[in-house]
Amino acid sequence: MDPARIAALLALSSALLAAAAAAASNMGEGVVIGVLDDGIDAGHPSFSDEGMPPPPASWRGRCKHAGVAACNNKLVGAREFTRHLRRPTGRPPPGAGTHGTHASSIAAGAPVLLAAAGGGEGGAAAVSGVAPRAHLVFYQVCAARGCSRGPIMNAVEAALADGVDVLSMSLGDDGGAGFHEDPVVAATFSAVMRGVVVCAAAGNTGASSPAGSVANDAPWILTVGASSPEQSVAAFSSRGPSRNNGGVLKPDIVGPGVNILAAVPRSRQRGESFAALSGTSMSAPHVSGVAALVKSAHPIWSPAAIKSAIMTTADAASIADEARGSGAPANYHAMGAGIVDAARAVDPGLVYDISPEEYFPYLCGLGYTDDQVNRIIFPAPAVTCAEMESTEARDLNTPSVMVALTADTPAVTVRRTVTNVGAARSVYRVDVGAPDGVSVTVTPGELRFDEVNQKASFTVTVERVPGGVLVSEDLGAQVAWVSEEHVVRIPISISARF
């Protein structure tokens, strides 16, 4: 690779990961990230275990992969689920493992010193994963003939048995299959039930595709789109709204996904073992690494609390959308809550928590039969939808709000509950931003807490102003709870069709 090119990419990657490096001194220590992808160069220096402690006592995995000679304290496990997908020759195709090696090193690669251009002062810099002290385990679910659902399901089940804390999935189905038709949805629900955070790529179909092209849109998944170096949303990043749950904002967030310098398999011909790749496949492991940072700092937090911490601390100011022209602002269907901010995510102040059981009446409300719901929530006890009151998607306690205003329904009220995870005694006051023609009212306007883990509820009413002029049919507002220490912000996506 050209030395000048290396220097530029090093500068870019360092800027993208600097916030994560400063987020917490733990650097993800004690957390196990499971990566599902197409292969890994286990001997790459990004997976060196120098200075790494052994995996936590909860780790129960193993190293059983034909392409991995041995594991270590960094790469603590490797499994293969793709024997039936191999090419007839049995030899891996050119470039095999590039995707998986790259994604794994973004999430938790060890620091590797690379020479930059010109030598001398500043002539070298380290390329590091977001959570360099986290452990990795690799599950190969894609091969020459692509990825299939069977291996993905089996890998997730194995990962849960192994004891992973975070799942990173740079893959997905852009076809928009219903939740009841997608076994991957059921597999990821099982993960969340067991306290595992699931981060997945939003897809690369871009703004040119029909609205609702976003993949991995189940509400319990942290769905990640791609931002560009200038903090614009990348043109290729898939857009919402979700085709399967129109009342839940997707994607949830965006992370660095353009020209990300990370490890690729070594070869005698190429020699160079780092390359810059782009895609939501790069942004998803970035956020997986951030989830590991939060998990390490707060081991008992639920997946929903970790997801909330990442979303409510995101940067949503002045984000442009590459697909809409130079400087055009991105809307929530492109950027979700905004660009991930690793340093702030570790200390969010308040979180919007939700238990897996709260998704049961939501799934019933989507119109699925009892059998379909029970296939999604297995191994949870079976439910009967007729015996419970269904929950609309907009009423899930998510760190975002999505409502539709119409001539018949010009006002909508939703309820949210926050949990205090900051200082025991704290006061938060509401700050509301609303577009012309719409009013957003929050009741109460102040939340007071006297202890950690105390909860408080509030309502948000979104209403068209009588006679007000709407500048668009798709509008954005926000509600932020502000204390002396924290700003806890959620986006409100408004569909206004009169």
Side-chain angles (χ1 to χ4, degrees):
M1 183 182 294
D2 176 62
R5 174 69 169 160
I6 293 177
L9 291 172
L10 280 171
L12 171 61
S13 295
S14 297
L16 295 176
L17 301 180
S25 59
N26 61 64
M27 297 297 175
E29 187 164 328
V31 176
V32 180
I33 302 176
V35 177
L36 278 65
D37 220 294
D38 73 340
I40 189 169
D41 178 5
H44 194 284
S46 285
F47 310 123
S48 165
D49 68 348
E50 182 178 356
M52 284 289 296
S58 58
W59 173 245
R60 302 175 294 274
R62 49 190 168 145
C63 196
K64 190 177 180 181
H65 189 297
V68 177
C71 293
N72 58 26
N73 285 336
K74 165 57 74 175
L75 184 64
V76 297
R79 304 278 295 276
E80 182 181 8
F81 297 88
T82 58
R83 293 181 181 273
H84 67 292
L85 296 175
R86 291 180 181 173
R87 299 198 305 178
T89 62
R91 293 191 300 272
T98 296
H99 199 268
T101 301
H102 201 267
S104 299
S105 68
I106 291 172
V112 178
L113 196 64
L114 284 188
E121 184 178 352
V127 176
S128 169
V130 174
R133 296 282 289 177
H135 305 281
L136 278 166
V137 56
F138 187 82
Y139 301 92
Q140 185 167 343
V141 297
C142 308
R145 288 186 278 174
C147 312
S148 61
R149 292 175 175 176
I152 295 172
M153 281 197 67
N154 292 335
V156 172
E157 291 172 2
L160 301 183
D162 290 345
V164 303
D165 300 297
V166 177
L167 278 176
S168 186
M169 304 173 66
S170 290
L171 46 82
D173 181 6
D174 293 329
F179 294 155
H180 65 296
E181 300 173 318
D182 189 350
V184 177
V185 168
T188 56
F189 188 83
S190 295
V192 170
M193 284 189 63
R194 297 197 194 184
V196 176
V197 182
V198 180
C199 298
N204 302 320
T205 57
S208 60
S209 296
S213 62
V214 62
N216 297 312
D217 55 344
W220 49 86
I221 296 175
L222 182 49
T223 309
V224 187
S227 62
S228 70
E230 294 77 23
Q231 294 190 344
S232 26
V233 175
F236 58 76
S237 189
S238 293
R239 314 302 166 104
S242 164
R243 283 172 284 193
N244 294 308
N245 57 352
V248 175
L249 182 65
K250 289 290 177 175
D252 294 300
I253 200 163
V254 293
V258 176
N259 287 333
I260 304 303
L261 185 67
V264 294
R266 300 159 297 164
S267 69
R268 292 181 179 177
Q269 293 78 16
R270 180 173 55 237
E272 184 60 58
S273 56
F274 288 84
L277 301 178
S278 300
T280 57
S281 289
M282 286 68 248
S283 50
H286 186 107
V287 175
S288 299
V290 176
L293 296 176
V294 180
K295 179 73 173 179
S296 182
H298 307 284
I300 65 172
W301 281 11
S302 70
I306 293 173
K307 176 181 176 181
S308 172
I310 292 172
M311 290 180 64
T312 60
T313 57
D315 179 6
S318 303
I319 299 177
D321 186 345
E322 287 183 346
R324 301 178 65 192
S326 178
N331 63 25
Y332 291 141
H333 293 311
M335 68 176 181
I339 297 175
V340 64
D341 185 327
R344 294 180 59 212
V346 175
D347 180 25
L350 305 174
V351 294
Y352 293 75
D353 207 353
I354 183 170
S355 69
E357 291 75 17
E358 291 177 74
Y359 291 113
F360 299 172
Y362 152 76
L363 290 168
C364 288
L366 293 178
Y368 295 142
T369 66
D370 289 351
D371 180 63
Q372 290 168 340
V373 171
N374 290 323
R375 286 205 302 270
I376 294 171
I377 69 173
F378 180 85
V383 300
T384 302
C385 288
E387 296 178 355
M388 66 176 70
E389 186 175 347
S390 64
T391 299
E392 291 191 45
R394 71 188 185 200
D395 292 321
L396 287 172
N397 198 45
T398 56
S400 62
V401 173
M402 188 171 177
V403 298
L405 303 181
T406 65
D408 294 332
T409 311
V412 176
T413 298
V414 299
R415 179 185 174 89
R416 291 292 186 270
T417 299
V418 290
T419 303
N420 178 30
V421 294
R425 297 182 64 84
S426 53
V427 178
Y428 288 82
R429 294 180 175 84
V430 74
D431 181 65
V432 175
D436 292 341
V438 174
S439 71
V440 176
T441 305
V442 178
T443 306
E446 181 179 281
L447 302 178
R448 290 183 173 268
F449 298 94
D450 298 311
E451 57 188 45
V452 177
N453 294 324
Q454 182 180 349
K455 296 181 183 295
S457 297
F458 61 94
T459 61
V460 180
T461 298
V462 183
E463 184 175 14
R464 182 176 183 181
V465 175
V469 177
L470 302 178
V471 297
S472 171
E473 292 185 341
D474 293 296
L475 303 166
Q478 66 176 17
V479 168
W481 290 104
V482 183
S483 72
E484 292 184 355
E485 303 291 335
H486 300 95
V487 176
V488 187
R489 177 191 157 277
I490 61 172
I492 303 176
S493 177
I494 305 167
S495 170
R497 290 169 170 80
F498 290 87

